[in-house]
Amino acid sequence: MPFINGFPKTYIFLILAFINTVSSYKIPPPTFVVTQPTGLKVYIPDEPGIKLFAFHAKINEQLEQNEVGTVNGEVLQPRNGVWTFEDGRVALKPGDKIFYWIYVQNEKLAFRLEEQQFEVTEYNKPTITNIPEPEVVEPTKPKCEFSRTTINGGTHVCKNTLLFEETFDKLNTSVWSREVKFPKDTEDAEFCSYQDRPENSYVKDGVMYVVPSLQVDVPGYNETEIRKGVINFGSRCTPSTFLNNNIECIRRAQGPQILSPVVSAQLSTKHSFKFRYGKIVMRAKLPTGDWLFPQLYLKSSQNVYGDDNFVNGLMRIAFIRSNQYLQTADGREIDGLYLRGMLVLDRGEANREKWMKTEVGQRHWGSDFHEYSLTWSDEMITMAVDGKPYAHFRDKFCINSQSCNILHSDAWETGIPPLAPFDQEVYVVLGVGVGGLSDFPENCVTGNDRHVKPWRNTDPRAERYFYADKNSWYPTWKGVESGLQVDWVRVYSL
């Protein structure tokens, strides 16, 4: 497969043509100050219209194009008439070379000063660098408008750019990583494991399929193994954290616990593509079948606020309870006719309801392909289906932990208001979940015979009771129709 700057060409990855043929602004030569024993300061003079100054560098090592660098940062405000980047940890000595590039937003346009270098000669002396005159730019080349969207560790991109595109001509494992793990007990503990078996995730005729199956259908497993056996994923395991990762890598059936009775799949771009702020659109057909749900997520690429209980938040691009017929105990319909756009900030049904919006369909949302989208800025998150917006989230989620009954919400005070924890880069997740401890309300009923959900979310034997009811739910699973089908995925900058 062709690559562009180390990335698969499938992405149609960003073309950073930071070119301006209209404005008269030009990035001036930066001033460097090196201090002992450590410290680096780089600044440019303030001018009307400057909104942001960013510096990216490596010491004694060339930068690849668009590389973030080992020394980097953004400056959002000038100080004493200059825009100053400072890093007090950098240790430099005479003869060291700083390879760098600079990014400046002036009004709505973006400017770059690329492939520059500065050699350290002395300490504590402000030194203005010499910048070679740039080549004359053809006036026909497009300008690049500033975008708050960043990708892969903070690289800025042009506004309204297609950053990522996947059309599933094949399953490209350099783009999509298959998860191999059990769900964490501290999250929702779905009743399945996620594995890399080709039967559960594959591409056919330009469509990605994620199809759940039974663990007893895997060679070497039977009903006795489900109740008394062990699954150890070993080096294949892909835990979400390195802390207590045996929860995700090893499962032993003992006491009330059985092996996860269902095998499903989750695929993600966590090792290939991440972004902050943008619009994601995907054409997909959602699963149908009792106690299934689609996993079309945007998940934080770094656990900035902690490790557990959705403290970093989860954006569900499209969610349904895939039962053909499902009602709450008090008669409210919640089945596959009801599409949900949802922000997940904690466990539990009540917390799901707080940040969930609903669009009612004419048919089960798993009956046809639809275009699902999520637009995410630093001020608002909007979800739409087939171009019709139906969910908007713009307010601060919690004033304090008491106001929303989420203890870990205090951690968000260190983030960027009003949408923290949704202020970090995320990656794309595609998958199918089964059952679990938060998404299906207690005592809900399914099917024409009003069959009561066979487990309680607070019961440690929940997974066992779910599996004991297999003769009720498994006949509703109809092969690929009970899987997630994804035609294409695209991500744009804002």
Side-chain angles (χ1 to χ4, degrees), residues 386-405:
D386 296 328
K388 176 187 175 182
Y390 68 94
H392 302 278
F393 304 93
R394 65 169 75 237
D395 297 326
K396 187 174 181 180
F397 301 113
C398 290
I399 299 173
N400 52 52
S401 56
Q402 288 74 34
S403 69
C404 61
N405 198 30

Side-chain angles (χ1 to χ4, degrees), residues 3 37 62 85 90 92 123 179 219 245 305 400 408 417 469:
F3 280 69
Q62 292 277 3
F85 164 80
V90 181
L92 297 164
Y123 297 109
E179 299 290 350
N245 61 26
Y305 298 104
N400 52 52
H408 59 239
D469 197 48

Side-chain angles (χ1 to χ4, degrees), residues 270-322:
K270 67 181 179 181
H271 299 304
S272 59
F273 177 74
K274 295 160 285 203
F275 72 100
R276 181 177 70 168
Y277 309 136
K279 180 178 181 178
I280 181 169
V281 188
M282 57 179 65
R283 184 173 185 268
K285 190 168 184 276
L286 306 185
T288 61
D290 286 0
W291 315 124
L292 299 171
F293 60 90
Q295 296 174 319
L296 304 177
Y297 296 163
L298 295 179
K299 190 171 184 178
S300 176
S301 64
Q302 292 182 304
N303 294 338
V304 171
Y305 298 104
D307 290 328
D308 296 328
N309 293 336
F310 300 104
V311 65
N312 297 288
L314 189 74
M315 290 182 269
R316 284 179 160 173
I317 302 164
F319 173 84
I320 62 170
R321 301 175 180 100
S322 295

